[in-house]
Amino acid sequence: MTIYLRLVLLGQLLILLFALHLGLLPTNGMHSVRGTPEGLSRFLDLLLHLILPALTLGLQPLAAIARITRAQALEVMGQDFVTTARAKGLSERMVHTKHVLRNALPAPITLLGLSSGHWVGGAVITEIVFAWPGLGRLAVESTLARDYPLVIGVILVGAIGVILGNLIADIAVAGLDPRVRYE
């Protein structure tokens, strides 16, 4: 099953559970159709409509990121510097946050940066499933209308998003990993 088909299925299941059965969240759209709220209530309405699309995009890579983070943390916990930190009398919390986590985070952050392409493609599907206006919906509509300059522009914006995601991940890894030093 492709990643995009899984997004459609996950989005539909989330709508079915949280919107239709439990009645907690709205099914689609960016704002409620009952009036036009202003100020803080408009912002809260937008956040309420954002929960299901964000869950749909965020749950997809969560298992892989958690698995890699755990594997890296277990690997780092067996290193000599962690044993030395414990021998110096540091608390377990300090050992885990300052030493283990800081050395284990570069791999999951790299995975996040590399998966930014899937998020751009997944945003197209998610916008269609949840009826959100955005670049994904614009890309589909412009493709169906054969508006090729607009399609190229949307693809260019998506490519810039992927490049920026990878750049931010590389900068974050360089800032977190104590083994990486820039002069």
Side-chain angles (χ1 to χ4, degrees), residues 134-154:
L135 285 178
R137 174 164 273 203
L138 180 65
V140 171
E141 290 174 359
S142 60
T143 302
L144 293 175
R146 294 189 176 154
D147 187 0
Y148 298 122
L150 188 56
V151 172
I152 292 170
V154 170

Side-chain angles (χ1 to χ4, degrees), residues 124-135:
V124 173
I125 303 299
T126 306
E127 286 175 6
I128 292 171
V129 169
F130 291 99
W132 265 66
L135 285 178

